[in-house]
Amino acid sequence: MKIQDKHYHTIWLKVGDKRVVQVIDQRKIPFQFEIFDIATVDEACFAISEMVVRGAPLIGITAAFGMYLAVLNSDGSDFENYIARNAEKLKATRPTAVNLAFAVDEISNFILKNKSRNNLHELVFEKVESMKLQEVINSERIGEFGLSLIEAIYARTKQTVNILTHCNAGWLACIDWGTATAPIYKAHLQGIPVHVWVDETRPRNQGARLTAFELGEQGVPHTVIPDNTGGHLMQHGMVDFVIVGSDRTTAGGDVANKIGTYLKALAAADNGIPFYVALPSSTFDFTMSDGIREIPIEQRNVVEVAEIEGIIGGQIQTVRIISEKSPVANYGFDVTPARLVTGLITERGICKANKESILDLFPEQKQIKTQW
Amino acid sequence: MKIQDKHYHTIWLKVGDKRVVQVIDQRKIPFQFEIFDIATVDEACFAISEMVVRGAPLIGITAAFGMYLAVLNSDGSDFENYIARNAEKLKATRPTAVNLAFAVDEISNFILKNKSRNNLHELVFEKVESMKLQEVINSERIGEFGLSLIEAIYARTKQTVNILTHCNAGWLACIDWGTATAPIYKAHLQGIPVHVWVDETRPRNQGARLTAFELGEQGVPHTVIPDNTGGHLMQHGMVDFVIVGSDRTTAGGDVANKIGTYLKALAAADNGIPFYVALPSSTFDFTMSDGIREIPIEQRNVVEVAEIEGIIGGQIQTVRIISEKSPVANYGFDVTPARLVTGLITERGICKANKESILDLFPEQKQIKTQW
């Protein structure tokens, strides 16, 4: 995707006198565009834990690059312990991100299997690049499948397709294209007129800060709205399609996503508007069936609600917006029950949000089912 | 109600060497508590248009006090034109506030009817005070009727009653007690354990700033939450009762209120939680029946969304939180259809949100109905 008309991935290797992994510093978007250098495992840990990078697919690939840096910087002594120690360090940065652990384990196993090879760091780099490419392909496929839904709306209405999204399930959370944004970018590139209502997404404002930024840089028409606004727009025919990402989706199609997603799903259902969830298949948790009862909801630091970052006089500053006397709560996610979800868009295709339809797309899970 | 353990109304006359109307400066709450002096009609206009005071009942009474100051400061020349000019000035401050015009007209007519009386300014003051007292009585009655609902929940559960509210329909919007908050204060004073989930209420954050402040000053347990949170709380049995105010309610019971109210009503309905609206009868618009189609929704300045006030280093500062490149929309209100409203709490009693039940409470409107 483009920033200031130049193509970027969210993470890449810079090959100069010294090899450095570079990422877009997402803490400063949209106010400043800066590249952040990662030269060591510790710097990779910092980037993940301090949210220089965020978004499940990007966190996984950043950790994989971290393991590559570990190999690159190794002096070879006590190698197996050295790899294990660094893997644990990376996994501890965001303990709840399932695919972070998955990515680290995959690359660790690869390293240990090939540890006696002469060109080990080259092999590891190729492995990380192929994991990265797989994420790009997943996003592109989600984009192509989702595009068909937007095309169908446009074929019917012959008018700008108004799409509402919540939080940032964009390319900045992935490597390229994004999940919820991928069909939007595909439609825009096809010349289908689209306009995106971007939920601000309190408390961290990832919609206003990240989604609006990336849509703007691609030239996709969009409008930022407070999270309170979507229901009113839907009542007045100003939304044709809702698409969001997911942090975890159960075997029955219940969708955990950023807090507030459920409210938009209710409004979509009340107004007969299709509500889709875009997700790579790694987001499914086939061990769970009742999302509302089973998916643990993280309570995050209340400072995220009580304070906010913005610009004063060209500087990024943090202001306190809630009195220190007021107690505050900060639930990170909610669960949208499957009955409110029109469909799930994965890299394998689109399915309904129910067990049968999901298993048709993931037949290998039918084996596992009997072990539940 | 109390602030720093001292009893206040939101507006009063200070009788010293010079008579001055005083109000609580609501622009600075909760960060600073300051009294704002109004000595002239122009200062009353400033207080209303700059939102030193806000909330329909309080705006009306502030305008009435403005007309009192006009009489007090008159030199008697060209009196009728002088009164008309000042009335127009006050009405122009917030043109959409119906009861502002109503209050100004009522007091203007009173002034003109009594203009030859020697003690005119005393009479006008008494009139304004009686209008103010009527607002207090309306709030108290709403509080008593609403209390019965909270008592019934407590009698059933014998546990802290968790109440969710949106925006500020509190005593700061009125003279005393508030509308949505009145039953909460009454329950708290009765010793019923209550806890209030306070929606932050983007974009102007009246929940986080005003409702949290006034609940805190009364010692009512409460927690500020992002507007995205309510649905999750309701799914998990953490809300027993939802109560909000209204800016306009149709003859059929459709409720216009702060943007985002509709989303909470949907979540309440989806989880079988009672959703009540507290409103003085002046909020009914008996000329309208289909709220979604008929009630005009104000689009407000987008700066309210793109910028936010907070505290840095003890100073109130404004920061920009959305890039200047991002288009923004700011719809002020939404309409909750009557089917999602469990009941309406008025100073006359509680009714269902439908034409028949409303007319049972307001039988005088049955006459008017035939003229529609």
Side-chain angles (χ1 to χ4, degrees):
Chain A
M1 297 284 110
K2 287 187 287 186
I3 294 176
Q4 293 161 7
D5 272 326
K6 192 179 152 191
H7 280 278
Y8 286 90
H9 280 165
T10 47
I11 187 165
W12 62 91
L13 183 72
K14 189 179 183 208
V15 187
D17 293 343
K18 194 184 161 198
R19 290 182 198 184
V20 175
V21 176
Q22 296 192 310
V23 296
I24 297 164
D25 190 341
Q26 301 199 17
R27 296 170 302 177
K28 299 182 177 173
I29 288 175
F31 305 122
Q32 288 162 20
F33 177 66
E34 286 180 15
I35 303 299
F36 183 89
D37 284 356
I38 300 173
T40 64
V41 175
D42 284 344
E43 286 169 8
C45 291
F46 177 89
I48 297 168
S49 61
E50 295 301 309
M51 301 185 85
V52 177
V53 294
R54 21 70 59 199
L58 176 55
I59 286 173
I61 299 301
T62 304
F65 268 114
M67 290 307 295
Y68 163 69
L69 291 170
V71 171
L72 202 63
N73 298 335
S74 159
D75 61 7
S77 63
D78 196 19
F79 189 69
E80 286 197 25
N81 275 330
Y82 170 81
I83 290 300
R85 275 200 315 277
N86 282 302
E88 285 314 307
K89 237 195 274 184
L90 281 161
K91 285 201 239 180
T93 51
R94 299 275 312 263
T96 52
V98 177
N99 72 325
L100 166 64
F102 175 78
V104 171
D105 287 342
E106 186 173 344
I107 205 86
S108 294
N109 292 337
F110 181 88
I111 292 168
L112 297 179
K113 210 169 70 185
N114 295 282
K115 65 174 191 283
S116 53
R117 301 280 290 269
N118 242 348
N119 56 346
L120 177 63
H121 71 80
E122 278 167 46
L123 290 173
V124 174
F125 178 68
E126 276 166 27
K127 172 73 179 168
V128 174
E129 279 290 298
S130 95
M131 288 168 72
K132 177 177 153 178
L133 187 61
Q134 186 59 52
E135 293 292 352
V136 177
I137 291 169
N138 286 349
S139 284
E140 279 222 64
R141 286 194 180 143
I142 288 169
E144 294 293 342
F145 287 117
L147 169 63
S148 65
L149 301 169
I150 298 173
E151 280 176 330
I153 294 168
Y154 182 59
R156 179 165 49 76
T157 66
K158 307 282 185 212
Q159 291 188 331
T160 296
V161 181
N162 282 293
I163 302 168
L164 185 141
T165 191
H166 191 68
C167 199
N168 178 259
W171 81 270
L172 289 171
C174 302
I175 305 301
D176 208 352
W177 297 102
T179 53
T181 56
I184 296 168
Y185 290 132
K186 292 283 178 187
H188 179 65
L189 290 173
Q190 292 255 325
I192 297 173
V194 292
H195 166 263
V196 184
W197 297 107
V198 179
D199 272 359
E200 175 181 42
T201 319
R202 287 281 293 145
R204 289 184 64 94
N205 290 30
Q206 297 98 325
R209 294 190 63 160
L210 302 176
T211 305
F213 170 79
E214 58 168 270
L215 291 170
E217 294 293 326
Q218 293 358 279
V220 178
H222 64 281
T223 306
V224 178
I225 48 173
D227 301 305
N228 285 324
T229 312
H232 170 73
L233 299 177
M234 294 187 209
Q235 283 179 323
H236 287 83
M238 293 158 84
V239 178
D240 299 302
F241 187 67
V242 182
I243 186 164
V244 298
S246 172
D247 292 87
R248 197 190 300 213
T249 293
T250 67
D254 294 340
V255 173
N257 190 44
K258 182 66 48 181
I259 190 85
T261 301
Y262 166 53
L263 296 172
K264 295 304 141 61
L266 283 167
D270 198 46
N271 292 282
I273 295 164
F275 182 93
Y276 278 89
V277 180
L279 70 170
S281 57
S282 59
T283 307
F284 281 101
D285 185 339
F286 286 98
T287 69
M288 289 188 175
S289 54
D290 182 338
I292 293 171
R293 273 191 294 169
E294 294 179 71
I295 298 176
I297 299 298
E298 181 184 352
Q299 286 202 58
R300 297 179 52 85
N301 195 323
V302 298
V303 164
E304 292 184 347
V305 180
E307 298 183 351
I308 198 165
E309 256 186 11
I311 287 282
I312 306 180
Q315 298 294 312
I316 300 181
Q317 299 263 17
T318 298
V319 297
R320 187 168 182 99
I321 56 172
I322 297 178
S323 165
E324 305 211 354
K325 289 185 188 168
S326 300
V328 174
N330 183 15
Y331 295 85
F333 305 92
D334 65 19
V335 174
T336 299
R339 67 185 149 85
L340 300 175
V341 178
T342 312
L344 306 170
I345 310 171
T346 79
E347 76 274 15
R348 293 203 193 174
I350 300 174
C351 64
K352 294 219 166 91
N354 63 52
K355 196 170 281 184
E356 295 66 33
S357 186
I358 293 170
L359 284 179
D360 282 347
L361 219 51
F362 297 90
E364 71 276 18
Q365 297 292 337
K366 286 182 187 168
Q367 319 288 358
I368 298 165
K369 203 176 58 164
T370 58
Q371 299 166 13
W372 282 355
Chain B
M1 296 289 110
K2 287 187 286 187
I3 295 177
Q4 293 160 8
D5 272 324
K6 192 178 153 192
H7 280 277
Y8 286 90
H9 279 167
T10 48
I11 187 166
W12 62 90
L13 184 71
K14 186 179 186 207
V15 187
D17 294 344
K18 196 184 161 199
R19 291 181 199 185
V20 175
V21 176
Q22 296 192 310
V23 295
I24 296 163
D25 190 341
Q26 302 198 17
R27 296 170 301 177
K28 298 181 177 174
I29 287 174
F31 306 120
Q32 288 162 20
F33 178 65
E34 286 180 15
I35 303 299
F36 183 90
D37 283 357
I38 300 173
T40 66
V41 175
D42 285 344
E43 286 169 7
C45 290
F46 176 90
I48 297 169
S49 61
E50 297 299 309
M51 302 186 81
V52 177
V53 293
R54 26 66 59 197
L58 176 55
I59 286 173
I61 299 303
T62 305
F65 268 114
M67 291 305 296
Y68 162 70
L69 291 170
V71 170
L72 201 63
N73 299 335
S74 159
D75 62 7
S77 64
D78 196 16
F79 189 70
E80 287 197 24
N81 275 331
Y82 169 83
I83 290 300
R85 273 200 315 277
N86 283 303
E88 286 312 308
K89 238 194 279 187
L90 282 161
K91 284 201 238 179
T93 51
R94 299 273 314 260
T96 51
V98 177
N99 74 325
L100 167 65
F102 175 79
V104 171
D105 286 343
E106 185 173 344
I107 206 86
S108 293
N109 292 337
F110 181 88
I111 292 167
L112 296 179
K113 210 168 72 184
N114 294 285
K115 66 176 192 278
S116 52
R117 302 280 289 272
N118 242 348
N119 55 346
L120 177 63
H121 71 80
E122 280 168 46
L123 291 174
V124 174
F125 177 69
E126 278 166 23
K127 172 72 179 167
V128 174
E129 280 289 300
S130 96
M131 289 168 71
K132 177 177 154 178
L133 187 61
Q134 186 58 53
E135 293 291 352
V136 177
I137 291 168
N138 286 349
S139 284
E140 279 223 65
R141 285 194 180 144
I142 288 169
E144 294 293 343
F145 287 118
L147 169 62
S148 65
L149 300 171
I150 298 173
E151 280 176 329
I153 293 168
Y154 182 59
R156 180 164 47 77
T157 66
K158 306 279 184 215
Q159 291 188 328
T160 296
V161 181
N162 281 294
I163 302 169
L164 185 141
T165 192
H166 191 69
C167 199
N168 178 259
W171 80 271
L172 290 170
C174 301
I175 305 303
D176 208 351
W177 297 102
T179 52
T181 55
I184 296 169
Y185 291 132
K186 292 282 179 189
H188 179 67
L189 290 173
Q190 292 256 326
I192 297 173
V194 292
H195 166 262
V196 184
W197 297 106
V198 179
D199 272 358
E200 175 181 41
T201 319
R202 287 279 293 148
R204 289 183 63 96
N205 291 28
Q206 296 99 326
R209 294 189 63 161
L210 303 176
T211 305
F213 171 80
E214 58 168 272
L215 291 170
E217 293 294 326
Q218 291 2 277
V220 178
H222 64 283
T223 306
V224 178
I225 48 173
D227 301 305
N228 285 325
T229 313
H232 170 74
L233 299 176
M234 294 187 208
Q235 283 179 323
H236 288 83
M238 295 158 82
V239 179
D240 299 302
F241 186 67
V242 182
I243 187 165
V244 298
S246 173
D247 292 88
R248 197 192 300 216
T249 293
T250 67
D254 294 339
V255 174
N257 191 44
K258 181 66 49 181
I259 191 85
T261 302
Y262 165 53
L263 296 172
K264 295 303 142 62
L266 283 168
D270 198 46
N271 293 284
I273 295 163
F275 180 95
Y276 279 88
V277 180
L279 71 172
S281 57
S282 59
T283 306
F284 280 103
D285 184 340
F286 286 99
T287 70
M288 289 188 175
S289 54
D290 181 338
I292 293 171
R293 275 191 293 169
E294 293 178 72
I295 298 176
I297 300 298
E298 182 184 352
Q299 286 201 55
R300 298 180 51 85
N301 195 324
V302 297
V303 164
E304 292 184 348
V305 181
E307 296 182 354
I308 198 164
E309 257 185 10
I311 287 282
I312 306 182
Q315 299 294 312
I316 300 181
Q317 299 264 17
T318 299
V319 297
R320 187 167 183 98
I321 56 171
I322 297 178
S323 165
E324 305 210 352
K325 289 184 186 169
S326 300
V328 174
N330 184 12
Y331 294 86
F333 306 93
D334 65 19
V335 175
T336 298
R339 66 184 149 86
L340 300 175
V341 178
T342 312
L344 305 170
I345 310 169
T346 79
E347 76 274 15
R348 292 203 194 172
I350 298 173
C351 65
K352 292 218 167 92
N354 63 51
K355 196 170 280 184
E356 297 63 37
S357 186
I358 293 169
L359 285 178
D360 282 348
L361 219 52
F362 298 91
E364 72 277 18
Q365 296 292 339
K366 287 181 186 168
Q367 319 286 357
I368 298 166
K369 201 176 58 160
T370 58
Q371 299 167 13
W372 283 355

